[in-house]
Amino acid sequence: MAGKDVETMKIASKVWKNGELINWDDARIHVMSHVVNYGSSVFEGIRCYRTSQGSAVFRLPEHMQRLLNSAKIYRMETPYTREQLCDATVELIADSELDECYIRPLIVRGLDEDKPAFGVNPFPNPVDAYIATWQWGKYLGDEALENGIDVCVSSWTRITSNSLPTMAKAGANYMNSQLIKMEALLGGFSEGIALDDRGMVSEGSGENLFLVNGGRLITPPLGASILPGITRDSVIQIARELGIEVVETTIQRGALYLADELFFSGTAAEITPIRSVDRITVGPGKRGPITERIQEEFFKVIRAERPAPFGADWLTYINAEEKKTASA
Ligand code: PMP
């Protein structure tokens, strides 16, 4: 069924909630839900792309596994398995008639209106699972993928993993991301890069970060308070297959200014080159050759124009039958 059209954004008319498709307009929660008061949500961001063999979701099982991992850390018990959440996503997209979309699964602590509980203790509150989807263009702008963006180093420190675990993609983590993003935007930058509590480079407000130096790809390790990004992993695997050496190591702020190339990776941002940091030009001030090469391979993989590296299967087709017929 066709969904809502809000300005230029198409939104699916249904939302998957606890095993059922409900109307978008009914996907509401009470203002006194635990999640509204205390930030108790975990979520995902996934993209579905149009390919010559039909629409396909990029690394759907890996995203749903990360969702369940995030829920496990926060002791949010959900009856849904990874496979059920993947199937629900396919069902929702098939119903929506969107052929390219962004998918937002969410697990939240809600409110039991018959037995309300308003304290910090999350245990009395029900755990609800949702999946919504809409058409979403280029997160950092259409120009960004080609020309690169201007970023700053944030004055905000990235959350430390012993206060809010950065392996979890939790709603509350994004209060920190919002501070980083707002400061960057108000300073005239597209995005901010946060340093961790030791002053080492961590990540953007919603992206992982890569440097290119002397032909090698360098990225902060998981210990630098980063989200284990699925695009980050995809970049690492694509680079390794191309024979580009990848090093996960701590990076000091100064190295950002001296890098040959710099780029962000993320589901929303895809692979976005960075042309300056704190108004210091990075390399030649435009997308560099290694960034371009990796971007090219990444876009080929997501559009099914080449297989994923090392024989992996990264695409879940919405209409598997259509895919089989096309490749027959
Ligand atoms: N770091 C943060 C803080 C993010 O929000 C995201 C986006 N999910 C990423 C990194 C990139 O992760 P992924 O490639 O899995 O989208």
Side-chain angles (χ1 to χ4, degrees):
M1 196 199 295
K4 278 181 179 260
D5 230 335
V6 183
E7 291 178 9
T8 56
M9 202 195 300
K10 279 195 166 33
I11 304 175
S13 61
K14 302 280 185 187
V15 170
W16 182 92
K17 179 188 179 190
N18 295 339
E20 281 178 71
L21 292 186
I22 62 169
N23 288 328
W24 171 274
D25 290 334
D26 296 329
R28 297 181 190 280
I29 57 169
H30 199 283
V31 69
M32 285 310 293
S33 297
H34 195 271
V35 58
V36 176
N37 289 267
Y38 303 115
S40 36
S41 72
V42 294
F43 70 102
E44 272 305 314
I46 313 173
R47 275 193 194 264
C48 172
Y49 292 96
R50 197 184 304 122
T51 81
S52 60
Q53 302 177 43
S55 298
V57 184
F58 185 64
R59 305 198 72 176
L60 179 58
E62 291 90 334
H63 278 282
M64 289 307 186
Q65 187 59 54
R66 190 172 65 186
L67 179 72
L68 292 174
N69 292 351
S70 302
K72 184 171 185 181
I73 290 175
Y74 282 99
R75 303 174 197 269
M76 298 168 96
E77 286 190 16
T78 174
Y80 303 105
T81 62
R82 183 179 67 178
E83 287 66 33
Q84 284 170 325
L85 293 167
C86 292
D87 290 349
T89 305
V90 169
E91 182 191 353
L92 177 70
I93 297 172
D95 177 86
S96 76
E97 288 183 0
L98 295 173
D99 61 353
E100 279 210 305
C101 51
Y102 185 86
I103 305 142
R104 170 55 52 81
L106 272 164
I107 299 179
V108 306
R109 295 205 190 258
L111 176 73
D112 179 345
E113 294 196 32
D114 296 327
K115 266 207 238 157
F118 304 127
V120 170
N121 172 14
F123 290 127
N125 305 100
V127 172
D128 294 314
Y130 297 85
I131 309 173
T133 185
W134 66 92
Q135 206 177 42
W136 214 12
K138 301 300 174 201
Y139 180 65
L140 295 168
D142 286 332
E143 297 270 284
L145 292 178
E146 210 172 311
N147 299 334
I149 55 169
D150 301 306
V151 309
C152 60
V153 172
S154 185
S155 70
W156 292 101
T157 297
R158 179 85 187 130
I159 47 173
T160 69
S161 55
N162 61 349
S163 59
L164 285 169
T166 53
M167 289 188 82
K169 190 167 168 66
N173 295 5
Y174 289 82
M175 292 301 274
N176 178 245
S177 289
Q178 288 174 56
L179 291 171
I180 296 162
K181 186 78 179 179
M182 290 189 290
E183 182 187 52
L185 293 177
L186 292 172
F189 301 96
S190 300
E191 186 54 285
I193 296 171
L195 306 180
D196 69 12
D197 59 330
R198 299 157 304 167
M200 304 310 281
V201 172
S202 177
E203 61 181 348
S205 73
E207 307 86 8
N208 293 114
L209 182 72
F210 285 87
L211 277 78
V212 178
N213 246 346
R216 293 193 314 169
L217 215 50
I218 305 165
T219 195
L222 297 189
S225 286
I226 64 164
L227 180 78
I230 288 161
T231 320
R232 174 183 181 275
D233 177 69
S234 308
V235 166
I236 291 174
Q237 296 199 46
I238 288 169
R240 290 203 169 128
E241 204 191 52
L242 289 172
I244 298 169
E245 190 187 345
V246 184
V247 187
E248 293 178 64
T249 188
T250 49
I251 297 167
Q252 57 170 284
R253 177 176 181 165
L256 297 174
Y257 309 123
L258 302 180
D260 297 335
E261 301 176 34
L262 213 53
F263 64 89
F264 278 137
S265 72
T267 297
E270 298 172 319
I271 292 170
T272 300
I274 296 169
R275 64 183 175 196
S276 75
V277 180
D278 296 332
R279 311 259 180 248
I280 298 179
T281 303
V282 174
K286 56 179 192 178
R287 177 175 62 186
I290 292 187
T291 307
E292 191 173 353
R293 189 73 221 281
I294 289 172
Q295 224 183 21
E296 208 175 271
E297 296 303 317
F298 176 78
F299 284 118
K300 279 189 186 156
V301 174
I302 62 177
R303 299 201 182 104
E305 289 163 11
R306 55 149 281 182
F310 307 112
D313 185 7
W314 284 354
L315 300 178
T316 301
Y317 286 88
I318 298 306
N319 188 337
E321 285 311 310
E322 195 181 308
K323 191 226 158 189
K324 265 191 226 140
T325 324
S327 48

